[in-house]
Amino acid sequence: MAFVCSATWTAKPGEEETVRAALAELSPASREEPGNLYYQAYQSPEEPTVFRIFEVYQDKAAFKAHVGSEHFAQFGVGQAIPALANNEHETYETLDV
Amino acid sequence: MAFVCSATWTAKPGEEETVRAALAELSPASREEPGNLYYQAYQSPEEPTVFRIFEVYQDKAAFKAHVGSEHFAQFGVGQAIPALANNEHETYETLDV
């Protein structure tokens, strides 16, 4: 079983492009992490301020490595998170991978 | 952009293994579909009756092909869905793939 993080980021009004740009950097960098199995940002066209991310890591340690990475510090903590009105995530386990 | 389906299946009491077994068949078969980009069932250990599936398809047509597939008829409509107390899904668009 692998470790799943399902995040929901809600941008402050007017900060949508700041969050989108951060995700454009975070997505390829996160996929390069040795412990990452999947990283996909997605959105509903009806909710332009809400950014969702589905992430799968080999295990919890790999997720912690992601959170502690340079690119997360720069583009997550440094760029996206200050532009968020709300920041939630839930963790799960995959059933078969 | 690709088409995302995020499904939440809640099993009737006692039907958890029926749903789990259906997903064990649906997962590999769905990943083989030409239009499927990703298919992952996952669960919170604290919610053993709730099964979640994150699915990505090239486009809406590929998602419709999935819903119309033989394996979905057999294991989705025929096995899992009758064993569900609740069956919800939301659709989205990927940001970068």
Side-chain angles (χ1 to χ4, degrees):
Chain A
M1 280 185 284
F3 184 93
V4 174
C5 174
S6 180
T8 304
W9 286 359
T10 305
K12 292 173 184 170
E15 291 282 24
E16 293 85 348
E17 288 320 305
T18 303
V19 177
R20 187 186 299 276
L23 284 168
E25 299 286 344
L26 272 174
S27 298
S30 303
R31 290 173 185 140
E32 291 296 318
E33 295 165 13
N36 179 270
L37 301 176
Y38 190 73
Y39 190 99
Q40 185 60 61
Y42 60 107
Q43 189 174 46
S44 165
E46 280 95 52
E47 297 177 308
T49 63
V50 180
F51 296 84
R52 299 171 195 272
I53 317 164
F54 188 78
E55 311 168 45
V56 184
Y57 298 88
Q58 283 170 352
D59 49 34
K60 193 166 189 176
F63 174 62
K64 287 187 173 176
H66 166 71
V67 176
S69 69
E70 234 179 81
H71 48 273
F72 190 77
Q74 183 176 355
F75 301 109
V77 176
Q79 182 174 330
I81 290 173
L84 300 180
N86 195 39
N87 174 6
E88 294 175 20
H89 78 274
E90 301 282 345
T91 60
Y92 304 91
E93 291 171 355
T94 58
L95 290 195
D96 71 338
V97 168
Chain B
M1 278 186 282
F3 185 92
V4 174
C5 174
S6 180
T8 304
W9 286 358
T10 305
K12 292 173 184 168
E15 291 282 23
E16 294 83 348
E17 288 319 305
T18 304
V19 177
R20 187 185 301 277
L23 284 168
E25 299 286 345
L26 273 174
S27 298
S30 302
R31 290 172 185 140
E32 291 296 317
E33 295 166 12
N36 179 271
L37 300 176
Y38 190 72
Y39 189 100
Q40 186 60 63
Y42 60 107
Q43 190 174 45
S44 165
E46 280 95 51
E47 298 177 308
T49 63
V50 179
F51 296 83
R52 300 169 193 273
I53 318 164
F54 188 79
E55 311 168 45
V56 184
Y57 299 88
Q58 283 171 350
D59 48 34
K60 193 165 187 175
F63 174 62
K64 285 186 174 175
H66 166 72
V67 175
S69 68
E70 231 179 84
H71 48 273
F72 191 76
Q74 183 177 356
F75 300 110
V77 176
Q79 182 174 330
I81 290 173
L84 299 180
N86 195 40
N87 174 7
E88 295 174 20
H89 79 274
E90 300 282 346
T91 60
Y92 304 91
E93 291 171 357
T94 58
L95 289 194
D96 70 337
V97 168

